[in-house]
Each structure stands twice: as C-alpha cells, then as structure tokens.
C-alpha cells in the first residue's frame, strides 16, 4: 500500500502529525504491501511457544506493572523512543527489545528520505533524494539480513514537542500499538529532526527478528489489568480508521482511549464482543474491530469508546470471542475480564496563550 500525502494540505497546516504503520513482511511474502500494519511476520517454520496447546484455556498474560525504577526521558528521541517502548513492554510482562545499530541506521535513512521529500509512508521511490530501498524489508536487509521486518513511522511539521512525543502517539494508536507489543527481539529507531515549521521531523522505528515469547493461549491486554494511569481520551486520526464502521464519523474527533487485546504468533480473532462498564455499572459504548472484520487489525481485537472516559475512574472490561493460533488450529472460545483506572485530570493549557499553533493529527 503506497501512502500518499496531499502536499498542499501539508503546507497549509501550521503543525501536523502523520503516523503510519507497516509490516515489512516475512515468511512467504517478505515484501508484500498487503502486510501493512502487521509488524514482523513469523518466519516460516517458527515453532510455537513451549507449553501452548489447544487444550489450554485462553487467558490474559499477567502484567508486571510499573517498575520500581521507571523510565525517565533523557531528551534524545532515539534513545527515549527505545526506552519508552521497553518500559511499556516491561509493564506488560514482555521481554525488552535490543537496540540494533544497523537497523537503526536503516530507520534513520528512511526518516531522512521522508523529511527530504516532505512526505510520510513506508515505500520509497527510486531517484528521489535520500532513496535507500523501496520497502522496509529492502532497506533493513541491505544493512541487516533478517527473515522478518516491520516498521512504524511518525512525522510532525516542525520539531517534536518532546523526545517521546512521536513514540507516544504511535503507541496510543491501536493498530500501531499492536506492532510494538509483538514478539520481536530487536529494533532500531531513527530520526530526522527539523528546526523549522516548514520541514518534517520524522521518527521511524524498524523491528526485526521474530521470536515467539508469548504462548498461543495468552492475550495481551492494554490498558493492562490493574493499570492506574490510563489516558482518558485519544484523537481518532488513524487510517484505516478503527471507528470507520461506526454509525457516524468520528475522524479527527476526540474519543475514548482504545482498549486492545493482542495475540501472539499467527493469532486471529472472530466473534468478538466487548463490554466496558464504569463504576456505576453503566455501559461505555465503543466500536469493536478485530482481525475478522478489519484487515489492519492483525493479531488484534480492540474497542474504541465513542466518548472520552472520565478522569480518576475505574472501568471494567469483559471480552468474549474465539481465537485461532499456531497450536490452536480450530477456533477456541475465550472469556476474559479485567479492570483499569484512568489518571487524574490535568489542567488544560491554552495553546494560543503560549503561541503554539493548533495541532492537526493525521494517522496513515
């Protein structure tokens, strides 16, 4: 899928953010554009995690929770993007991702290409300034041979407002989040930072080397069970839009924070039903999407509330459905429940008062 950006719209925006996710592929079709948002694909012949079987009940992976020594940003967007992702993964009980220098170079080269050509996407055109390879798989394998590669990209007109702004936006977007929580072992962030509003600042993160850690019968929930600092809202600007099948358009609007379930390996969901309720027992309407009804929801089931959640509030999630996986060849029913709490409200800041342009976010 070639991603195009309307450059006239880009020039008109005082400050815009573009996000894009793509799996570079792996297995039988390593460079297929149809792998968009899939993240690194399992290599052919990969063995399932030890102990996973169709007889084992499907349940949630137990989170580790916040670390006693939490991640603190240093101001370096490359180091902090890696640190941010590993902090999230550690909280969820997932192994950390090792930084791979050659993969980081491929990501840096792509960020420079995107900045040079004032565009956002995963596919490069030969002959344009900074060209290093058409697909993520091409660019990564030129520097680091691997059987599986995936990529996420974020771009902002002007400079980043913080060293974790771009990676935070990517993690909040549910299709992108699923890639960061997949079973990969190495990654490389790379940036091209602009000093002026006329040029893009870009973060690219390339992921490589699939290795299954999460058993086939475990699901990763986010917000995770017992989490107490969950965001209340999210700007619906991801494309494809996880709210596309909603009764009305929510594109560009502020909605509730996405709730996701991720599977390992070749996980595929079907017949999924979400129920989110607040402390009074009132239902929180949300738009469900999963791998059976949205091709972008690879190994993923999610529900996005139509309205922002309340601050300092507890919510209960109940999800039923069926799952297949490498060691679960026929659909197996699951029934999981958990709760999380939202963070306290923060005082609103008038951007106009401090001279910050209004922000428009576009996620591809």
């Amino acid at each position: 899928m070639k991603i195009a950006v309307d450059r006239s719209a880009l020039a008109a925006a005082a400050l815009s953010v573009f996000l894009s996710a793509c799996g570079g592929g792996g297995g039988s079709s390593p460079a297929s554009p149809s792998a968009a948002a899939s993240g690194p694909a399992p290599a052919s012949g990969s063995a399932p995690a030890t102990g996973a079987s169709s007889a084992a009940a499907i349940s949630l992976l137990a989170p580790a929770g916040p670390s006693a020594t939490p991640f603190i940003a240093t101001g370096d967007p490359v180091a902090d993007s890696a640190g941010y992702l590993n902090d999230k993964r550690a909280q969820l009980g997932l192994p950390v991702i090792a930084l791979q220098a050659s993969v980081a170079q491929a990501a840096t080269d792509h960020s420079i290409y995107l900045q040079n050509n004032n565009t956002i996407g995963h596919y490069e055109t030969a002959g344009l300034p900074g060209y290093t390879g058409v697909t993520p798989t091409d660019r990564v394998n030129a520097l680091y041979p691997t059987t599986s590669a995936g990529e996420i990209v974020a771009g902002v007109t002007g400079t980043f407002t913080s060293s974790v702004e771009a990676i935070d936006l990517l993690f909040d977007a549910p299709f992108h989040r699923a890639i960061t929580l997949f079973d990969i072992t190495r990654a490389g962030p790379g940036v091209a930072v602009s000093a002026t509003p006329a040029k893009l600042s870009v973060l690219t993160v390339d992921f490589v080397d699939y290795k299954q850690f999460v058993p086939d019968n475990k699901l990763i929930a986010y917000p995770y069970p017992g989490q107490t600092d969950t965001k209340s809202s999210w700007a619906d600007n991801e494309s494809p839009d996880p709210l596309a099948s909603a009764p009305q358009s929510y594109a560009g609007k502020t909605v509730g924070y996405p709730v996701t379930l991720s599977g390992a390996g070749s996980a595929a969901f079907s017949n999924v039903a979400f129920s989110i309720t607040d402390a009074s027992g009132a239902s929180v309407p949300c738009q469900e999407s999963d791998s059976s009804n949205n091709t972008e929801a690879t190994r993923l089931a999610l529900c996005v509330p139509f309205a922002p959640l309340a601050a300092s509030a507890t919510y209960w999630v109940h999800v039923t459905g069926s799952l297949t996986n490498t060691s679960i060849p026929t659909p197996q029913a699951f029934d999981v429940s958990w709760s999380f709490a939202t963070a306290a409200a923060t005082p609103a800041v008038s951007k106009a008062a401090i001279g910050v342009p209004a922000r428009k976010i576009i996620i591809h």
Side-chain angles (χ1 to χ4, degrees):
M1 178 175 63
K2 183 73 178 290
I3 300 170
V5 175
D6 182 342
R7 298 192 183 196
S8 62
L10 175 64
L15 182 61
S16 301
V17 179
F18 307 85
L19 303 187
S20 191
C22 177
S28 61
S29 55
S32 170
S34 65
S38 66
S44 298
S46 297
T50 303
S53 73
S54 59
I58 297 169
S59 60
L60 297 178
L61 184 72
S67 168
T69 55
F71 162 72
I72 299 176
T74 66
D76 178 350
V78 171
D80 291 347
S81 293
Y84 176 103
L85 288 182
N86 277 329
D87 183 58
K88 293 291 188 184
R89 288 175 64 91
Q91 290 179 36
L92 289 162
L94 300 173
V96 299
I97 302 169
L99 183 65
Q100 214 297 320
S102 296
V103 177
Q105 185 60 57
T108 301
D109 292 344
H110 187 55
S111 291
I112 293 171
Y113 168 90
L114 296 174
Q115 185 184 71
N116 285 341
N117 295 286
N118 199 36
T119 189
I120 288 295
H122 301 286
Y123 302 97
E124 298 185 6
T125 301
L128 291 182
Y131 171 82
T132 55
V134 175
T135 71
T137 298
D138 295 337
R139 297 188 295 271
V140 169
N141 273 278
L143 299 175
Y144 180 84
T146 181
T147 58
S148 53
E151 182 175 88
I152 56 176
V153 176
V156 182
T157 52
T159 192
F160 297 124
T161 58
S162 76
S163 59
V164 296
E165 178 195 20
I167 197 65
D168 186 54
L169 287 166
L170 286 163
F171 188 82
D172 287 346
F175 296 145
H176 298 70
R177 180 191 302 168
I179 297 174
T180 70
L181 302 182
F182 190 48
D183 282 333
I184 40 83
T185 59
R186 296 177 178 84
V191 299
V193 179
S194 170
T196 69
K199 295 193 75 173
L200 289 170
S201 288
V202 182
L203 167 69
T204 300
V205 186
D206 286 327
F207 300 91
V208 299
D209 296 352
Y210 167 82
K211 180 180 180 181
Q212 187 168 348
F213 294 103
V214 178
D216 284 346
N217 66 320
K218 292 293 182 180
L219 299 175
I220 304 164
Y222 198 88
Y224 62 77
Q227 186 168 344
T228 59
D229 60 352
T230 305
K231 293 181 182 179
S232 300
S233 63
W234 175 64
D236 175 28
N237 291 288
E238 191 168 23
S239 178
D241 184 359
L243 287 160
S245 57
Q248 65 187 75
S249 174
Y250 288 88
K253 297 180 180 179
T254 299
V255 295
Y257 194 70
V259 177
T260 59
L261 279 178
S262 301
S266 60
F269 292 87
S270 59
N271 302 313
V272 176
F274 272 79
S275 171
I276 303 176
T277 55
D278 63 17
S280 71
S283 176
V284 177
C286 64
Q287 182 61 52
E288 190 275 336
S289 183
D290 63 68
S291 54
S292 71
N293 57 38
N294 191 314
T295 57
E296 201 75 7
T298 308
R299 298 177 292 269
L300 180 68
L302 65 139
C303 219
V304 183
F306 297 125
L309 304 177
S312 300
T314 299
Y315 290 89
W316 282 263
V317 184
H318 179 209
V319 190
T320 59
S322 296
L323 181 76
T324 59
N325 217 319
T326 305
S327 62
I328 309 175
T330 58
Q332 180 174 327
F334 68 86
D335 187 325
V336 295
S337 299
W338 75 98
S339 66
F340 65 87
T342 53
T346 55
V349 176
S350 171
K351 292 185 177 181
I354 58 176
V356 178
R359 166 159 290 184
K360 182 179 181 181
I361 299 176
I362 305 172
I363 304 174
H364 291 278

